[in-house]
């Protein structure tokens, strides 16, 4: 099973790797070191073997960085993925520490991601509004911060609500451990000082980690170390066979984990644009994470996805190409293999302090997006706030569903509000058309042209019906309704509405003509019988030239009016002849 993703990996990576830069080496080293305590801590918190979290930073990071369309994205274990995976395995009655169960879940998550990428379901993410994504990304950044408060200060805040945890942490200032807080503070101070020196800015995180770790060791400061979580084995990840018997129980759960991972990764591209100016591709990122999990699952890795915190570390350390992520995986493997015992001595408050910096920078980087959303509309602001609160107070998979529903509602409301009918008037003596407001009443004996500007949502129907001109007294009037932007009709209510209006206009002696009709809509008009009721020339098909159907419809309308006027004159003449008395 690993052979197919491997071939795809090579084809995807070919020609797009470029050359690693010096800054990428430093960024990769920093990210690799971060992966040791962070990956092990996330795995341990969720009840997994901490070593599985460590290995999630090796194969998935290398494969993901080689194939990702978001150049700087680092694919590895996140706290949300770890917690969701643990919930899925527990609900299925499976042991989260069993290597076969973990391999099966990780492999299945990879297959789901690959299918979503191949089927190009990444387009769904484009319907997630900027307001919702801003709230989601900010909430994730806050989760990152609250996740390391214990490491940074020695006090573990209480409560499942992330905002409540933050408040509880601040309220218990007296319970912070002096040694841990001091180490975290010194780490942040060294980082800030290094950032003030231009040459040291790219390696500020690495420098802060090394200086603070050496200082703790030299002064024998009593703080928690990486080895207090678990020992690091001096070996590379070995092959781990999945358990086929666990597949049925994990089908639904694999989709849940994949959804959480992909939603987290979707927030990376807007926050970390490609330095080379190339465009990210959500479907490509879906496939990339699929490859990473499909291969990582065979080598003892937990389910992985685009990590906002680890990507933030890489970017803060100066990453410029995808090689930073590749180097992070290779460097982590070398550290585990050669000097795992030394890496065990990294103090957890050092990691906590630097993750606080990364989370703070992520939130600070969102300030312009937050300000823009707040200035856009109250509806967008409400969607952003609700998504943020859901992300910080609910399980992440529920927050994602809420965000998706809010995005859909926001799209529908905004689309319905923007829908309108525009009157088109032919300029006197010229071939140009100008726009205007639709008339309140349809003028008799004239051709009126209205253009439908909308997105074919049935929610637009009340607004469109309200803007249609009144047909009372519209004798010999023709309304040409241009529907070139309406490829299909999402509801039978639209057909019924057009039918009602056509009948009302016909009863007054007028006529409705639909112009610029696309083939799907034309077929629907035929099936419903509305095309027959509109009569010959009542449905004018779309043409490559935008105004050609309008010109034809107007000509048809004028000819119809002329014919009716002649028929009326003839009828009046006949009636006058019959009513005239015969002379003796």
């Amino acid at each position: 099973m690993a052979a197919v993703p491997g071939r795809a990996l090579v084809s995807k990576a070919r020609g797009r790797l470029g050359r690693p830069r010096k800054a990428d080496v430093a960024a990769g080293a920093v990210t690799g070191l971060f992966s040791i305590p962070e990956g092990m801590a996330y795995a341990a918190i969720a009840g997994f073997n901490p070593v599985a979290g460590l290995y999630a930073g090796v194969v998935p990071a290398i494969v993901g960085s080689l194939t990702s369309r978001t150049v700087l994205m680092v694919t590895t274990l996140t706290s949300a993925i770890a917690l969701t995976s643990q919930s899925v395995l527990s609900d299925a009655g499976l042991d989260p520490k069993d290597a076969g169960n973990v391999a099966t879940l990780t492999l299945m998550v990879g297959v789901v991601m690959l299918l979503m990428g191949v089927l190009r379901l990444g387009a769904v993410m484009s319907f997630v509004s900027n307001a919702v994504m801003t709230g989601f990304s900010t909430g994730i950044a806050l989760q990152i911060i609250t996740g390391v408060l214990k490491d940074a200060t020695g006090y573990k805040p209480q409560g499942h609500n992330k905002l409540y945890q933050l408040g509880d942490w601040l309220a218990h200032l007296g319970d912070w451990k002096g040694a841990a807080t001091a180490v975290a503070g010194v780490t942040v101070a060294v980082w800030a000082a290094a950032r003030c020196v231009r040459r040291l800015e790219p390696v500020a995180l690495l420098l802060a980690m090394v200086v603070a770790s050496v200082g703790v060791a030299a002064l024998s400061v009593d703080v928690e170390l990486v080895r207090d979580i678990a020992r690091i084995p001096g070996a590379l990840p070995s092959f781990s066979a999945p358990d086929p018997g666990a597949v049925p129980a994990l089908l639904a759960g694999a989709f849940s984990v994949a959804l959480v991972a992909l939603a987290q990764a979707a927030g990376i591209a807007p926050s970390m644009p490609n330095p080379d100016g190339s465009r990210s591709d959500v479907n490509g990122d879906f496939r990339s994470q699929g490859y990473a999990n499909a291969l990582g699952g065979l080598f003892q890795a937990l389910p992985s996805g685009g990590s906002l915190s680890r990507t933030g570390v890489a970017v803060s350390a100066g990453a410029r190409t995808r090689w930073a992520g590749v180097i992070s995986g290779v460097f982590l493997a070398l550290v585990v293999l050669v000097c795992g015992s030394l890496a065990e001595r990294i103090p957890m408050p050092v990691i906590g302090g630097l993750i606080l910096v990364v989370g703070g920078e992520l939130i600070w980087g969102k300030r312009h997006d937050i300000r823009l959303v707040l200035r856009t509309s109250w509806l967008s602001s409400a969607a952003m706030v609700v998504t943020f609160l859901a992300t910080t107070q609910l399980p992440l998979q529920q927050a994602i569903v809420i965000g998706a529903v809010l995005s859909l509602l926001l799209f529908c409301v905004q689309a319905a509000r923007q829908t309108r009918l525009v009157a088109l008037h032919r300029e006197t003596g010229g071939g140009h058309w100008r726009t205007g407001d639709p008339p309140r009443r349809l003028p008799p004996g004239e051709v009126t042209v209205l253009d439908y500007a909308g997105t074919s949502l049935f929610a637009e129907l009340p607004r469109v019906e309200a803007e249609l001109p009144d047909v009372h007294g519209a004798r010999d009037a023709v309304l040409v309704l241009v529907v070139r932007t309406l490829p299909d009709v999402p509801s039978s209510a639209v057909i019924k509405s057009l039918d009602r209006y056509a009948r009302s206009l016909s009863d007054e002696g007028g006529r409705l003509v639909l112009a610029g009709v696309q083939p799907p809509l034309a077929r629907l008009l035929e099936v419903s019988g509305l095309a027959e009721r509109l009569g010959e020339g009542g449905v004018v098909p779309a043409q490559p030239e935008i105004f050609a159907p309008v010109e034809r419809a107007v000509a048809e309308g004028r000819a119809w009016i002329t014919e009716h006027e002649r028929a009326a004159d003839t009828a009046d003449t006949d009636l006058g002849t019959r009513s005239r008395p015969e002379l003796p």
Side-chain angles (χ1 to χ4, degrees), residues 366-387:
K366 285 291 178 183
R367 68 189 187 282
H368 298 300
D369 291 333
I370 295 173
R371 190 180 300 118
L372 178 61
V373 172
L374 292 175
R375 292 176 178 176
T376 300
S377 69
W378 69 267
L379 197 60
S380 296
S381 301
M384 177 181 68
V385 172
V386 170
T387 305

Side-chain angles (χ1 to χ4, degrees), residues 424 433 451 482-485 515-518 540-552:
L424 300 179
W433 294 82
D451 183 51
V482 185
V483 290
R484 67 181 185 276
T485 60
V517 178
Q518 302 287 348
V540 181
Q543 297 180 24
E545 186 180 345
I546 294 178
F547 282 99
V550 181
E551 300 278 3
R552 177 181 166 185

Side-chain angles (χ1 to χ4, degrees), residues 484-503:
R484 67 181 185 276
T485 60
L486 186 65
D488 204 343
V489 176
S491 171
S492 59
V494 178
I495 295 294
K496 291 181 179 179
S497 176
L498 291 174
D499 189 29
R500 285 195 304 268
Y501 191 81
R503 289 178 184 272

Side-chain angles (χ1 to χ4, degrees), residues 284-302:
D285 288 343
F286 279 14
R287 295 191 296 271
S288 169
Q289 293 168 85
Y291 300 141
N293 280 282
L295 287 175
L298 300 176
F299 293 95
Q300 298 182 268
L302 283 167

Side-chain angles (χ1 to χ4, degrees), residues 27-84:
V30 172
T31 308
L33 287 175
F34 264 85
S35 296
I36 296 174
E38 194 174 58
M40 295 175 71
Y42 289 161
I45 290 171
F48 291 102
N49 183 345
V51 177
L54 179 68
Y55 287 153
V58 181
V59 174
I62 295 172
V63 175
S65 293
L66 284 173
T67 59
S68 176
R69 295 295 297 275
T70 299
V71 172
L72 300 180
M73 184 172 73
V74 178
T75 302
T76 187
L77 179 67
T78 69
S79 59
I81 296 174
L83 292 171
T84 307

Side-chain angles (χ1 to χ4, degrees), residues 36 226 231-234 334-345:
I36 296 174
V226 169
R231 294 289 180 176
I232 298 177
L334 291 175
V335 170
V336 170
L337 186 63
V338 178
C339 50
S341 59
L342 185 61
E344 290 177 353
R345 300 182 64 82

Side-chain angles (χ1 to χ4, degrees), residues 261-312:
L262 294 176
Q264 281 190 290
I268 295 178
S271 303
M272 315 288 181
N274 293 342
D276 58 4
S278 62
R279 291 186 178 182
S280 297
D281 176 60
V282 178
N283 293 306
D285 288 343
F286 279 14
R287 295 191 296 271
S288 169
Q289 293 168 85
Y291 300 141
N293 280 282
L295 287 175
L298 300 176
F299 293 95
Q300 298 182 268
L302 283 167
S304 303
S307 170
L308 188 60
S309 65
R310 217 71 58 87
T311 304

